[in-house]
Amino acid sequence: MTSAPLAARLGRVAGPLFFPVTAYGPDGAVDLDAFRTHVRTGVDAGAAAVFACCGTGEFHALTPEEFRLVVAAAVEETAGEVPVVAGAGYGTALAIQYARLAEEAGADGLLAMPPYLVVADQAGLLGHYTALAAATGLETIVYQRDNAVFTPETVVALAGTPGVIGLKDGYGDLDLMQRIVSAVRTERPGRDFLYFNGLPTAELTGLAYRGIGVRLYSSAVFAFAPDIALAFYRALDSGDDELVAGLLDHFYRPLVELRDQGRGYAVSLVKAAVRLGGLDVGEVRTPLSEPPAAHIEELTGIIARGRALLEKYGQERH
């Protein structure tokens, strides 16, 4: 854990947020050495923060003890260079258990994922996240998606909840997000509440989210192609519209179209891409399954085209 508050550190990041995959060995057990290598590679490449054991990290597939070990490995490997945020989910009691394990492991904060399966009303959701935020001293980011979609009024209440520092949006309704941002700005003046674009390939909607003031985003691409992810981040930040458009047209859109061809590809395709980069992080755990060879071949081509585009633009600028 680092000494500076998580909200302050995330409020001034200068790079993509890194969601590492969880590595497994040939026997299916968690491979902490490979995971450490994966985390170190990302931090050295310029990650602004490490979000361990979240969606891309197969939180759903980890036992509590595995979760604790993986979070602790991320904390030890980053050594305070960047903040470490751990996932927490399921029902309230289990989410609190995972939150306390993350705190014991030294995490700086929590990404609070939707409750398991149930569809709750706004009062129930608010009660769930309030209890989770109160259970530890960790700062909490609430993840909006699937069965946890909030009204602006609920987010205003969350923004007034001690320990809750932001909202990650994986739902994708820009009209709703604009109303949420406006409501919090109006009802919580002076509150530095953080917003994150958390869609599966957030770069594809980066321009749209920036239009409503949401600049932070999670980058699945950073897990396997940090050079491409960083180039896009910097191009977006500097107003290099030509490179942004080129990467969107020839890398990110084809990647999203491939991702949409298989269930669970937001995780399994990323993990396959990490393996293509030379680090054996194992396969996904069931109930997810691996992409077929034809999709791996297509993925290889997409990554190659992305890097060729970076080389082309680099040459043109010199």
Side-chain angles (χ1 to χ4, degrees), residues 12-303:
R12 57 175 185 266
V13 301
L17 306 177
F18 175 29
F19 285 67
V21 302
T22 297
Y24 306 125
D27 61 354
V30 169
D31 185 339
L32 292 177
D33 289 339
F35 177 73
R36 287 174 183 274
T37 299
H38 184 40
V39 169
R40 173 47 50 193
T41 300
V43 172
D44 288 347
V50 172
F51 283 67
C53 301
C54 296
T56 308
E58 295 180 81
F59 169 79
H60 69 276
L62 300 173
T63 67
E65 178 60 13
E66 289 174 328
F67 170 87
R68 185 187 65 79
L69 290 171
V70 172
V71 173
V75 171
E76 291 166 6
E77 194 60 43
T78 57
E81 294 176 56
V82 298
V84 173
V85 179
Y90 303 123
T92 306
L94 272 176
I96 287 172
Q97 179 182 345
Y98 278 94
R100 289 174 175 161
L101 289 171
E103 187 172 41
E104 291 172 13
D108 296 283
L110 299 171
L111 178 62
M113 291 179 285
Y116 172 72
L117 197 60
V118 296
V119 179
D121 60 19
Q122 295 294 297
L125 289 171
L126 182 59
H128 171 76
Y129 293 108
T130 299
L132 180 57
T136 72
L138 299 180
E139 294 168 274
T140 299
I141 301 160
V142 175
Y143 196 178
Q144 168 168 267
R145 59 175 294 171
D146 301 324
N147 59 326
V149 178
F150 309 104
T151 63
E153 293 77 16
T154 299
V155 180
V156 167
L158 286 169
T161 300
V164 177
I165 64 168
L167 178 74
K168 180 183 179 185
D169 180 51
Y171 186 57
D173 184 335
L174 285 171
D175 176 84
L176 174 60
M177 277 302 294
Q178 179 64 85
R179 288 186 287 116
I180 285 171
V181 170
S182 176
V184 173
R185 185 169 57 227
T186 302
E187 301 299 324
R188 302 285 180 192
R191 175 73 165 97
D192 292 327
F193 200 63
L194 301 176
Y195 299 97
F196 305 77
N197 175 357
L199 290 173
T201 304
E203 287 91 343
L204 199 66
T205 53
L207 287 166
Y209 272 82
R210 284 194 170 214
I212 59 171
V214 180
R215 302 176 69 84
L216 294 164
Y217 65 87
S218 55
S219 176
V221 168
F222 190 89
F224 63 86
D227 52 341
I228 297 174
L230 276 168
F232 182 87
Y233 179 92
R234 290 166 179 163
L236 193 63
D237 212 40
S238 66
D240 187 345
D241 296 339
E242 187 178 2
L243 181 53
V244 167
L247 286 170
L248 286 174
D249 293 347
H250 302 292
F251 174 76
Y252 283 104
R253 180 172 58 84
L255 179 66
V256 169
E257 289 171 348
L258 175 60
R259 185 200 71 208
D260 289 346
Q261 292 184 47
R263 291 189 178 275
Y265 272 20
V267 179
S268 61
L269 205 64
V270 172
K271 205 160 194 181
V274 174
R275 294 195 303 270
L276 286 174
L279 179 61
D280 187 359
V281 290
E283 298 185 348
V284 290
R285 283 180 172 174
T286 55
L288 298 181
S289 59
E290 289 296 308
H295 287 174
I296 300 298
E297 183 178 356
E298 188 174 347
L299 175 62
T300 303
I302 291 169
I303 296 170

